């Protein structure tokens, strides 16, 4: 029944995303990260399109060309041709009531074309219309006239509409289907001729932008064979399918779905895979692990077939699992060794004999070659971070959408923990561009039931995830291996030995010696990537200013190590920072990596590393003063030709160069969070703030102090825990310097005269355009206040429309 189809079975009244996120101290994946959802909200009419509109106030009913400036549902903001960038005469109109037509309509129907008063005179308006038609910038006629007038394109995919769907095992085969339900662009399809068959086989969920979904008649035009999916093919006779096939062909000529509806579908690029190539893949039927797979067939320069490997003896047999069609940008396919390099487990193929899986031995055994790296899609930036919340489809029950948590991020793929499931399932592996994941409140917006965890009697705070602070994980990591160490990686060249924290060694100007002493004695052994990432995270949290340490560790492209890039985070004064840090992945590089990192942080080269310092450090760092130590082991920063301003190099000698501190340009992730999060690694004693996540350049731009002042500040910080007495009186030079700083900070807003004038009016047109996602994203409001504000905006919009849009 419809209740089961819509995933009922839970009382939705006890779950509220806003309350849940706030009480648990969590954040949601930003709305703009879901590109398919953004596209589904667009109408067919977009800014820049031109149309013909009846000129207001003209008694003879003349028409003129206008450009769409912006859209707001069925309301359009238009500007007459000839006004150029002058917005004073912009006007709103309603698609459903205004006299609107595509470019060329007046000429075809013998209507008068006359520009309104105030526009520049156009000597040849016929040439203007021809240019508009040639540039293909005319608004589609079917959205201005006829039954589709004023409708969102997505609304045209209503129940009963016919579509065609390519086969998941052969792109040269397609079959018809009928839309049973449209939930915000997510379609429940019933295969043609599958009435009365088991629902799990007869019905299929797909988002309308899926590259395999097409309008009726596409198969005939593309030369594809009309055949039912293999799963239901045997449940009917060939004669019965023949009758259904005839009906599909007739529907192709009778029914029409606007082509504009599918214009935003991702294009399929050319691939360079060959038959027999080996790779790592996620099985779409059970996306819970990564295993070896093989390219078993190449259909064209766009599509190829992949099948998960199953071994019988020493040979790979076929038919053990259902194959699936891929293209160059498909999710869930990776080059060989990807799992090992990214610190995630690789499940050996069924029937594999041996304790540890090794790709080199496996390729030799199968007499095959691995697909080269360039065959796979390049990495792109995204906004998914571990612990963020979203809504996701259950791959075992596609009709159910669950509250989900990002538990791991590796490249373009994320691991999701689904909540509200009747029987626990492993974490789901999916791509950041998957069309089966949605922003929080998507189900509520589209009237669909969300499967969620049950609320405890004491509130959501009881389910709160523990905050991982350095002082709280001592008992968990003390002399213990790093958790989640992939099978087969604890031995061999990718295994990292124990990394010891030698807290008696000199900690330098950045790290707090007291916090270093509270760290576990060691971390590891385990995968190099996992162990070293944990070590660096602990060091960042043990700093006076975690963001400064993160900046020092940030990957410098000009001195790149051939290691593995990992994204690390830091929190300081309530702001979150992220940067990519280079981490080595083989055991023979670990010792040098630790030493170089220590030198970057201006601390003793033995502060942490694979060697335990028992009594006396070999560097004699304890007998050196801070100044002398910096002289021997500190970083020498000098200006080099060809380096960007603020660029630096890490050397084992020389004093710090004093002078103007300049803004540094590096690549980084930037993301603004809507809510402050209690899941932070801010060291104890650090002030809490708004929780915004910033790039590292922003911290640089906050101060233009000289290098000597910065060094003084760092030295003061490093000695703070040791000097509890009253600070000495400032010297005259320091006093002057302090006054200059204070004066600079209050330069332009010290009194009312210098304050900028406050705005005297509100941009009403912009106010009417605010929507729920826009309010949440741009204004930083929570869900509850955002909904209330949008209700008020809708009332204003209705009043405005009733009075002025007639």
């Amino acid at each position: 029944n419809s209740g089961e189809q819509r995933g009922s079975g839970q009382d939705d009244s006890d779950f509220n995303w806003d309350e849940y996120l706030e009480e648990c101290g969590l954040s949601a994946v930003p709305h703009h990260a879901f590109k398919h959802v953004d596209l589904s909200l667009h109408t067919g009419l977009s800014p820049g399109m031109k149309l013909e509109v009846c000129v207001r106030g003209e008694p003879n009913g003349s028409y003129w060309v206008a450009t769409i400036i912006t859209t707001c549902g069925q309301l359009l903001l238009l500007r007459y041709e000839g006004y150029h960038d002058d917005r004073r005469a912009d006007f709103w109109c309603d698609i459903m009531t205004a006299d609107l037509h595509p470019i060329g309509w007046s000429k075809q129907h013998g209507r008068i074309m006359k520009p309104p008063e105030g526009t520049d005179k156009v000597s040849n308006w016929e040439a203007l219309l021809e240019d508009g038609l040639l540039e293909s910038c005319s608004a589609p006629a079917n959205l201005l006239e006829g039954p589709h007038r004023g409708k969102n394109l997505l609304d045209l995919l209503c129940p009963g509409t016919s579509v065609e769907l390519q086969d998941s095992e052969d792109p040269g085969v397609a079959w018809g289907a009928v839309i049973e339900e449209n939930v915000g662009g997510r379609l429940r399809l019933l295969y043609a001729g599958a009435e009365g068959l088991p629902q799990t086989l007869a019905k299929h969920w797909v988002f309308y932008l899926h590259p395999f979904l097409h309008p009726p008649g596409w198969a005939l035009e593309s030369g594809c064979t009309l055949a039912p999916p293999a799963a239901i093919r045997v449940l009917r006779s060939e004669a019965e399918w023949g009758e259904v096939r005839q009906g599909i062909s007739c529907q192709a000529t009778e029914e029409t779905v606007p082509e504009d509806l599918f214009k935003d579908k991702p294009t399929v690029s050319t691939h360079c895979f060959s038959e027999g190539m080996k790779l790592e893949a996620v099985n779409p039927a059970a996306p819970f692990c990564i295993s070896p797979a093989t390219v078993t067939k190449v259909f064209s320069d766009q599509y190829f077939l992949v099948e998960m490997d199953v071994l019988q003896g020493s040979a790979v047999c076929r038919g053990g699992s259902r194959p699936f069609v891929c293209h160059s940008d498909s999710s869930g396919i990776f080059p060989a060794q990807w799992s090992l390099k990214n610190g995630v487990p690789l499940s050996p193929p069924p029937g594999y004999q041996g304790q540890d899986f090794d790709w080199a031995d496996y390729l030799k055994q199968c007499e095959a070659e691995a697909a080269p790296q360039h065959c796979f899609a390049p990495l792109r930036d995204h906004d998914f971070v571990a612990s963020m919340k979203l809504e996701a489809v259950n791959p075992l029950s596609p009709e159910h959408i669950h509250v989900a948590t990002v538990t791991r991020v590796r490249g373009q793929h994320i691991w999701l923990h689904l909540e509200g499931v009747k029987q626990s399932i492993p974490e789901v592996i999916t791509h950041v561009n998957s069309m089966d994941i949605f922003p929080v409140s998507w189900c509520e917006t589209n009237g669909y039931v969300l499967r969620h965890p049950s609320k405890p009697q004491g509130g959501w705070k009881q389910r709160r995830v523990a905050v991982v602070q350095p002082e709280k994980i001592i008992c968990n990591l003390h002399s213990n291996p790093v958790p989640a160490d992939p099978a087969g990686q604890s031995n061999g060249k990718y295994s990292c030995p124990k990394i010891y924290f030698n807290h008696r060694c000199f900690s330098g100007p950045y790290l707090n010696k007291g916090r270093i002493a509270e760290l576990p004695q060691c971390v590891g052994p385990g995968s190099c990537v996992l162990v070293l990432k944990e070590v660096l995270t602990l060091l960042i949290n043990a700093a006076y200013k975690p963001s400064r340490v993160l900046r020092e560790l940030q990957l410098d492209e000009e001195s790149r190590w051939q290691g593995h890039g990992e994204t690390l985070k830091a929190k300081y004064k309530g702001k979150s920072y992220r940067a990519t840090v280079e981490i080595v992945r083989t055991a023979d590089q670990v010792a040098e990596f630790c030493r170089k990192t220590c030198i970057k942080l201006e601390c003793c080269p033995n502060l942490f590393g694979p060697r335990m310092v028992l009594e006396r450090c070999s560097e004699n760092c304890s007998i050196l003063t801070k100044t002398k130590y910096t002289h021997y082991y500190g970083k020498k920063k000098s200006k080099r030709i060809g380096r960007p301003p603020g660029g630096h190099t890490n050397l084992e000698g020389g004093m710090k160069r004093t002078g103007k501190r300049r803004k540094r340009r590096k690549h980084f992730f930037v993301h603004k969070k809507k809510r402050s999060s209690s899941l932070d690694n801010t060291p104890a004693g650090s002030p809490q703030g708004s929780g915004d996540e910033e790039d590292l350049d922003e911290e640089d731009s906050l101060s233009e102090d000289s290098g000597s002042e910065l060094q003084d500040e760092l030295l003061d910080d490093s000695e703070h825990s040791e000097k509890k007495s009253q600070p000495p009186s400032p010297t005259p030079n320091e006093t002057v310097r302090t006054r200059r700083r204070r004066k600079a900070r209050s330069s332009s807003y010290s009194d009312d005269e210098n304050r900028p004038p406050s705005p005297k009016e509100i941009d009403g047109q912009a106010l009417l355009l605010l929507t729920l996602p826009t309010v949440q994203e741009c204004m930083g409001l929570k869900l509850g206040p955002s909904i209330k504000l949008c209700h008020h905006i809708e009332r204003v919009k209705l009043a405005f429309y009733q009075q002025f849009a007639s």
Side-chain angles (χ1 to χ4, degrees):
N1 58 33
S2 61
E4 293 175 345
Q5 291 168 353
R6 298 184 69 83
S8 61
Q10 281 187 315
D11 182 10
D12 226 30
S13 61
D14 64 342
F15 184 81
N16 178 280
W17 263 119
D18 189 46
E19 175 189 349
Y20 177 69
L21 292 172
E22 185 170 3
E23 288 193 18
C24 295
L26 301 172
S27 61
V29 180
H31 281 69
H32 63 259
F34 304 89
K35 297 179 178 60
H36 60 296
V37 176
D38 278 347
L39 291 172
S40 71
L41 301 177
H42 294 172
T43 63
L45 298 174
S46 57
M49 287 184 173
K50 295 183 184 296
L51 45 78
E52 295 181 9
V53 59
C54 183
V55 178
R56 294 184 175 189
E58 287 290 335
N60 55 359
S62 60
Y63 291 81
W64 191 241
V65 179
T67 302
I68 299 176
I69 302 302
T70 191
T71 64
C72 182
Q74 66 186 48
L75 297 179
L76 301 179
L77 181 63
L78 302 180
R79 181 179 301 166
Y80 286 123
E81 191 72 25
Y83 272 92
H84 305 294
D85 295 330
D86 187 357
R87 57 174 288 183
R88 289 177 299 176
D90 292 1
F91 62 96
W92 289 91
C93 66
D94 184 2
I95 305 175
M96 301 302 294
T97 59
D99 194 358
L100 306 176
H101 304 281
I103 295 293
W105 180 87
S106 296
K107 184 177 181 181
Q108 293 175 359
H109 294 79
R111 298 300 180 96
I112 300 172
M113 290 290 290
K114 180 182 177 183
E117 293 182 3
T119 59
D120 294 345
K121 292 184 178 180
V122 179
S123 57
N124 189 350
W125 60 266
E126 291 185 354
L128 176 69
L129 301 184
E130 290 179 5
D131 291 342
L133 291 173
L134 290 175
E135 294 172 3
S136 301
C137 59
S138 174
N142 63 328
L143 297 180
L144 300 174
E145 306 167 337
H148 298 159
R149 180 180 187 177
K151 285 188 176 182
N152 187 323
L153 280 174
L154 194 57
D155 296 335
L156 304 182
L157 293 174
C158 54
T161 304
S162 296
V163 291
E164 290 181 358
L165 193 66
Q166 279 178 274
D167 193 272
S168 61
E169 298 181 24
D170 187 349
V173 175
W175 191 244
V178 176
I179 298 175
E180 286 194 330
E181 187 176 13
N182 180 351
V183 183
R186 190 166 185 260
L187 310 177
R188 188 177 77 236
L189 305 179
L190 174 66
Y191 285 116
E195 298 83 356
L197 297 181
Q199 289 194 11
T200 54
L201 302 177
K203 298 185 179 182
H204 182 73
W205 284 91
V206 64
F207 202 76
Y208 83 103
L209 292 174
H210 196 284
F212 279 11
L213 188 69
H214 307 281
W218 177 87
L220 184 64
E221 294 177 4
S222 305
C224 288
T225 304
L226 276 175
I232 62 173
R233 196 174 301 162
V234 297
L235 303 179
R236 295 266 194 266
S237 66
E238 185 54 40
E240 290 175 313
W241 288 126
E243 293 180 8
V244 178
R245 188 178 292 108
Q246 236 176 349
I248 295 174
S249 300
C250 294
Q251 288 175 345
T253 58
E254 296 173 359
E255 296 190 22
T256 57
V257 176
E259 293 184 1
D260 291 339
L261 192 59
F262 302 99
K263 65 181 175 59
D264 293 322
K265 287 199 305 183
T267 56
V268 179
S269 306
T270 302
H271 73 81
C272 53
F273 286 88
S274 301
E275 187 172 328
M277 283 183 172
K278 295 285 185 183
L279 64 156
E280 296 180 3
V282 176
N283 188 347
F288 310 120
C289 63
I290 301 175
S291 298
T294 306
V295 177
T296 56
K297 187 175 183 180
V298 175
F299 295 105
S300 63
D301 60 354
Q302 289 185 313
Y303 297 105
F304 55 95
L305 194 68
V306 172
E307 187 171 346
M308 309 304 294
D309 284 359
V310 177
L311 296 180
Q312 282 188 353
S314 60
V316 177
C317 66
R318 296 289 161 225
S321 62
R322 179 160 291 176
F324 49 96
V325 174
C326 293
H327 50 83
S328 61
D329 294 322
S330 284
S331 62
I333 57 173
F334 317 92
Q337 304 279 5
W338 184 90
S339 297
L340 184 64
K341 294 175 182 178
N342 285 272
V344 296
L346 177 70
S347 300
Y352 180 79
Q353 302 295 325
Q355 213 168 14
D356 298 329
F357 180 84
D358 183 82
W359 261 111
D361 295 340
Y362 186 65
L363 291 173
K364 186 176 180 181
Q365 174 186 335
C366 299
E367 297 181 350
E369 65 174 2
Q373 177 71 46
H374 64 82
C375 291
F376 299 86
L379 294 178
R380 298 179 179 89
D381 290 343
H382 59 79
D383 295 288
F384 289 79
V385 178
S387 298
M388 282 185 171
K389 292 287 185 176
L390 66 158
E391 299 177 2
V393 173
N394 186 337
L396 302 183
S397 296
E399 69 275 13
H400 293 158
I401 299 180
H402 296 256
V403 169
T405 307
V406 179
T407 60
R408 181 187 294 174
V409 181
R410 292 293 184 271
Q412 302 290 108
H413 287 76
I414 54 177
W415 276 247
L416 300 177
H417 171 69
L418 303 186
E419 301 191 52
V421 292
K422 292 182 179 179
Q423 294 182 346
S424 61
I425 62 174
E427 292 179 351
V428 178
I429 305 173
T430 189
H431 196 275
V432 295
N433 291 334
S434 168
M435 298 184 190
D436 283 335
I437 57 176
F438 306 94
V440 299
S441 301
W442 184 86
C443 284
E444 180 184 2
T445 303
N446 291 281
Y448 199 78
V449 174
L450 175 68
R451 314 287 291 192
H452 57 81
S454 300
K455 185 176 182 179
Q457 291 184 351
W460 295 113
K461 288 185 178 180
Q462 291 189 355
R463 302 185 69 260
R464 189 171 177 175
V465 180
V467 179
V468 182
Q469 296 281 9
E471 56 270 27
K472 294 182 181 179
I473 61 175
I474 295 175
C475 58
N476 297 329
L477 289 178
H478 183 71
S479 299
N480 285 338
V482 172
D485 182 32
Q489 293 189 30
S490 294
N491 300 311
K493 68 175 184 177
Y494 296 103
S495 176
C496 180
K498 289 183 179 180
I499 301 297
Y500 295 94
F501 292 105
N502 301 308
H503 64 87
R504 291 186 179 87
C505 289
F506 179 72
S507 58
Y510 304 128
L511 302 176
N512 185 315
K513 193 172 183 65
R515 293 185 190 135
I516 292 290
E518 293 177 353
L519 295 180
Q521 184 183 23
C522 65
V523 175
S527 163
C528 286
V529 173
L530 294 181
V531 172
L532 295 177
K533 184 178 180 182
E534 186 67 33
V535 168
L536 295 182
T537 300
L538 293 175
L539 288 173
I540 290 170
N541 291 331
Y544 293 105
K545 295 182 178 180
S547 57
R548 176 62 192 270
V549 171
L550 183 60
R551 187 172 69 246
E552 293 297 326
L553 298 177
Q554 187 178 4
L555 176 62
D556 188 339
E557 293 185 352
E558 295 188 11
S559 58
R560 183 187 297 266
W561 293 339
Q562 296 302 315
H564 177 84
E566 279 287 336
T567 301
L568 298 183
K569 296 178 67 177
K571 273 211 168 188
Y572 181 61
K573 292 187 176 179
K575 289 187 177 180
S576 294
Y577 301 84
R578 278 193 290 169
T580 301
V581 175
E582 194 79 0
I583 295 180
V584 297
R585 61 187 185 90
T586 57
D588 58 342
Q589 298 173 301
V590 169
E592 183 63 16
F593 170 82
C594 293
R595 178 178 174 83
K596 285 187 175 181
T597 304
C598 287
I599 293 172
K600 274 188 175 185
L601 300 180
E602 300 183 33
C603 59
C604 175
N606 293 330
L607 180 66
F608 69 93
R611 177 169 168 259
M612 180 191 292
V613 176
L614 297 176
E615 295 296 333
R616 189 172 180 180
C617 173
S618 60
E619 299 288 338
N620 291 327
C621 62
S622 60
I623 66 172
L624 296 175
T625 64
K626 196 162 298 183
T627 305
K628 290 182 179 179
Y629 193 89
T630 305
H631 174 73
Y632 288 110
Y633 297 104
K635 294 180 294 183
K636 181 180 179 181
K637 297 187 178 179
S638 59
K639 188 171 183 179
R640 293 172 53 187
I641 297 175
R643 293 185 72 87
H648 67 278
T649 181
N650 301 312
L651 302 178
E652 297 190 22
M655 293 291 292
K656 284 188 126 182
R657 178 181 64 86
T658 60
K660 189 79 172 179
R661 180 182 172 192
R662 307 183 68 124
K663 187 172 179 178
R664 185 177 306 159
R665 299 287 182 184
K666 286 187 180 180
H667 296 293
F668 44 76
F669 295 104
V670 183
H671 170 54
K672 289 277 187 179
K673 293 194 288 189
K674 293 187 295 184
R675 303 173 176 87
S676 61
S677 172
S678 66
L679 290 174
D680 69 70
N681 293 327
T682 307
S686 297
Q688 298 296 326
S690 62
D692 290 341
E693 191 164 305
E694 304 285 350
D695 60 75
L696 296 182
D697 279 346
E698 177 164 334
E699 189 195 17
D700 285 348
S701 63
L702 294 178
S703 171
E704 292 294 330
D705 295 342
S706 68
S708 59
E709 292 169 359
L710 175 63
Q711 181 68 11
D712 293 342
E713 181 184 354
L714 290 172
L715 293 176
D716 289 344
D717 283 345
S718 64
E719 295 172 351
H720 178 70
S721 60
E722 301 172 7
K723 297 183 179 180
K724 303 291 185 180
S725 60
Q726 184 73 17
S729 300
T731 63
N733 289 339
E734 290 174 342
T735 304
V736 172
R737 213 160 43 195
T738 304
R739 288 175 179 171
R740 286 176 181 171
R741 269 200 297 256
R742 289 175 181 169
K743 186 176 180 180
R745 288 172 184 165
S746 58
S747 57
S748 39
Y749 301 103
S750 58
D751 50 49
D752 293 336
E753 295 178 2
N754 291 329
R755 222 170 265 158
S758 58
K760 295 182 180 179
E761 62 178 275
I762 297 174
D763 189 339
Q765 295 177 352
L767 176 67
L768 295 182
L769 294 177
L770 290 177
T771 60
L772 183 59
T774 307
V775 168
Q776 287 184 283
E777 291 291 332
C778 299
M779 302 181 67
L781 296 179
K782 298 175 183 176
L783 183 60
S786 298
I787 292 176
K788 292 179 183 178
L789 176 59
C790 288
H791 280 315
H792 290 299
I793 293 174
E794 288 298 323
R795 294 176 63 183
V796 173
K797 189 185 303 181
L798 178 62
F800 171 82
Y801 162 70
Q802 291 174 341
Q803 185 171 358
F804 298 108
S806 59

